[in-house]
């Protein structure tokens, strides 16, 4: 699939254009320059059966910190075509010229996008941008969509036909508190500096998608902003990042929950785990910085682990060190097992035999003076496994017997670390 990167100085509308071309709100958009820090990747349709991989990048700037320019230039190297975005309202600036001087060295096909065509200045003065020497110029309004369809057609003509779409890869959201090593772990898995790494908490703001292949299997890894309590969020971009990080769990099959081994299991870790569980996502726990533990901290971690293990119904766990690579390769075994459990389908006969045995071994309670009686059970959905139970009366959501049935299912069917849903219907 051809790759197109959106490049430009900060705050010219790159993320807005990216969202417009991809067709959904993937990148964070805000008036504060430098909100986009990492490379954001999405697929954009530019014609019938013609797709491209679109990359949104942080703004190129002479005084950029945290390796931002390096991330942009890595995207340039990997691209088949560049879209240089400028602000038509402000006109041609020295910063635009400096960005183009950097890009010219790579000798990549480039098209110029003059954004903010909804302003009079952009419409009347965009000709000045031809001074850059880029022959193909598009006048668009990324915010309102003007000129975007013409841009799609131009991209379709300029790029080769895309390959057929791969089978959908399972989505794994890498979640955790800020500064526990999520981005470092992703970089270690991928084997390249795919995401910015900094000791400053909250460096990752946008969700990052990375498609990888391991042992003949594809995985879509989603790196998310560190989820923190609302009271700890500082600034509007951080609030947006928290909101979008939670959204990533909704489009994932499994969450890879990263813990800081030295800090133990914190209330923040439990909160994130609870969010993943409520959304019905399987969870694998990666205990990072394992190599830094002494005996006292290891005991502290294990004491806290009991609470997390109970909340997530005995999730699969891997002790790793993103810094050294220790244990990272062992993550995919538990991921595969949890993904398989998340999507597992069981026959109706097997399900009914299991419930009959569970009821025989532990008699149902009496509700309002009458015994609860199960007539029939069947699986009605996967991801997570969901079972419909027909009984003489409903079973309260938080009833102890419901939890008993869920745990019995999980233990017997190998569904550790995966939520089990029971829907109890009254049969007349």
């Amino acid at each position: 699939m051809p790759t197109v990167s959106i490049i430009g100085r900060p705050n010219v509308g790159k993320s807005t254009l990216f969202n417009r071309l991809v067709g959904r709100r993937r990148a964070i958009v805000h008036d504060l320059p430098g909100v986009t820090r990492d490379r954001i990747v999405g697929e954009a349709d530019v014609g019938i059966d013609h797709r491209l991989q679109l990359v949104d990048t942080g703004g190129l700037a002479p005084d950029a910190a945290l390796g931002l320019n390096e991330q942009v230039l890595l995207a340039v190297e990997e691209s088949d075509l560049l879209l240089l975005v400028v602000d038509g309202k402000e006109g041609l600036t020295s910063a635009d010229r400096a960005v183009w001087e950097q890009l010219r060295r790579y000798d990549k096909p480039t098209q110029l996008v003059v954004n903010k065509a909804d302003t009079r200045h952009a419409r009347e003065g965009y000709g000045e941008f031809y001074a850059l020497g880029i022959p193909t110029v598009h006048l668009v309004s990324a915010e309102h969509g003007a000129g975007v369809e013409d841009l799609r057609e131009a991209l379709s003509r300029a790029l080769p036909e895309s390959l057929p779409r791969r089978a959908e890869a399972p989505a794994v959201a890498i979640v955790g508190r800020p500064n526990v090593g999520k981005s470092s772990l992703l970089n270690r898995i991928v084997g390249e500096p795919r995401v910015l790494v900094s000791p400053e908490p909250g460096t990752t703001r946008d969700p990052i998608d990375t498609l990888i292949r391991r042992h003949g299997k594809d995985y879509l890894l989603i790196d998310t902003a560190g989820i923190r309590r609302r009271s700890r969020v500082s600034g509007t971009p951080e609030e947006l990042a928290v909101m979008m990080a939670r959204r990533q769990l909704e489009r994932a099959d499994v969450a890879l929950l990263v813990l800081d081994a030295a800090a133990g299991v914190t209330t923040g870790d439990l909160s994130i785990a609870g969010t993943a569980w409520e959304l019905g996502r399987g969870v694998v726990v990666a205990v990072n910085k394992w190599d830094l533990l002494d005996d006292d901290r290891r005991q502290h971690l294990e004491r806290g682990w009991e609470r997390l293990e109970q909340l997530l119904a005995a999730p699969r766990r891997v002790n790793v060190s993103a810094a050294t690579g220790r244990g990272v390769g062992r993550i995919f075994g538990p991921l595969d097992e949890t993904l398989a459990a998340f999507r597992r389908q069981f026959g109706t006969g097997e399900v009914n035999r299991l419930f009959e045995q569970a009821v025989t071994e532990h008699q149902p309670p009496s509700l309002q003076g009458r015994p609860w009686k199960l007539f029939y059970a069947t699986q009605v959905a996967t991801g997570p496994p969901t079972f419909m139970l027909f009984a003489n009366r409903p079973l309260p959501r938080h009833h102890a017997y419901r939890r008993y049935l869920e745990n019995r299912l999980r233990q017997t069917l190998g569904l550790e670390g995966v939520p089990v849903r029971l829907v109890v219907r009254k049969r007349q």
Side-chain angles (χ1 to χ4, degrees), residues 358-370:
V359 170
T360 299
E361 294 181 4
H362 187 73
Q363 290 296 318
S366 294
L367 299 175
Q368 298 176 345
R370 295 175 56 191

Side-chain angles (χ1 to χ4, degrees), residues 135-276:
T136 305
V137 180
H138 305 280
L139 184 63
V140 308
S141 171
E143 184 174 357
H144 299 103
V148 173
E149 287 308 311
D150 291 338
L151 176 59
R152 288 184 194 273
E153 292 181 11
L155 291 174
S156 178
R157 292 192 301 268
L159 295 166
E161 292 292 330
S162 56
L163 297 174
R165 186 187 301 268
R166 284 185 180 182
E168 193 71 20
V172 179
I174 304 176
V175 298
R177 295 181 297 107
N179 214 32
V180 295
K182 299 183 298 298
S183 296
S184 297
L185 181 59
L186 176 60
N187 286 340
R188 177 64 67 174
I189 291 172
V190 175
E192 63 172 273
R194 178 63 182 82
V195 182
L196 292 177
V197 181
S198 167
E200 176 191 355
T203 298
T204 301
R205 288 176 173 170
D206 290 309
I208 314 296
D209 287 5
T210 303
L211 185 65
I212 67 168
R213 170 160 285 211
R214 285 291 184 276
H215 308 299
K217 298 178 182 179
D218 290 332
Y219 304 85
L220 183 67
L221 302 182
I222 309 167
D223 185 31
T224 62
I227 304 175
R228 60 182 80 185
R229 298 177 190 168
R230 180 67 58 180
S231 61
R232 298 285 300 277
V233 175
S234 59
T236 303
E238 288 287 352
E239 291 179 354
L240 288 171
V242 171
M243 177 184 67
M244 294 186 72
R246 290 182 181 275
R247 286 181 183 174
Q248 304 320 307
L249 286 167
E250 297 178 356
R251 67 187 185 97
D253 299 303
V254 168
L256 182 62
L257 174 59
V258 184
L259 307 184
D260 183 336
V265 179
T266 68
T267 55
D269 298 323
L270 293 170
S271 175
I272 297 166
T275 299

Side-chain angles (χ1 to χ4, degrees), residues 20-65:
R20 177 69 65 175
L21 288 170
V22 169
R24 62 183 185 273
R25 193 174 185 273
R26 281 287 313 284
I28 297 176
V29 179
H30 192 269
D31 290 337
L32 179 67
V35 168
T36 300
R37 297 186 177 193
D38 291 300
R39 289 175 279 166
I40 317 300
V41 181
E43 287 189 14
D45 292 314
V46 294
I48 300 176
D49 294 328
H50 197 173
R51 296 180 308 279
L52 55 85
Q53 180 171 268
L54 196 65
V55 182
D56 183 24
T57 65
L60 267 175
D63 57 348

